[in-house]
Amino acid sequence: MTTTQREVLTATCLAHALIHVFELFETGDSLSLSMEHVPGVSLRALVDHLEHTDGVLPWPIACRIVADAARGLAHAHAARDATGRALAVVH
């Protein structure tokens, strides 16, 4: 199994409040994920907009972004597979 395939399989075990993986399937020689679409602007688009407008990210939004990222990392650290074995996610 390739590194990418292991990462895809690991991602299927990481479903939580921020991300939902619906299906893992093969397409030819590769694995694909079917994931929930989360509407809204991407963080990349937000940063690009702020850079081009000399804008400042309001602190409540910055705090929410950091809190969501921390919650996702905590979930990844605590994640276990179906047998209860730690996934040992490295990020």
Side-chain angles (χ1 to χ4, degrees):
M1 182 179 291
T2 69
T3 300
T4 301
Q5 290 170 326
R6 279 193 300 278
E7 289 174 358
V8 168
L9 289 171
T10 299
T12 64
C13 296
L14 293 178
H16 64 99
L18 297 177
I19 182 174
H20 298 280
V21 176
F22 296 123
E23 184 179 10
L24 170 67
F25 54 94
E26 284 188 73
T27 53
D29 292 336
S30 63
L31 291 175
S32 298
L33 286 174
S34 172
M35 299 176 73
E36 174 184 23
H37 172 73
V38 179
V41 66
S42 70
L43 184 56
R44 175 77 265 154
L46 176 61
V47 170
D48 287 346
H49 174 75
L50 292 171
E51 287 176 348
H52 288 93
T53 62
D54 292 326
V56 176
L57 187 63
W59 68 266
I61 294 173
C63 289
R64 175 62 186 264
I65 291 168
V66 172
D68 285 351
R71 190 168 59 169
L73 290 171
H75 180 78
H77 281 285
R80 306 231 174 246
D81 67 13
T83 68
R85 184 177 58 90
L87 292 179
V89 174
V90 177
H91 53 280

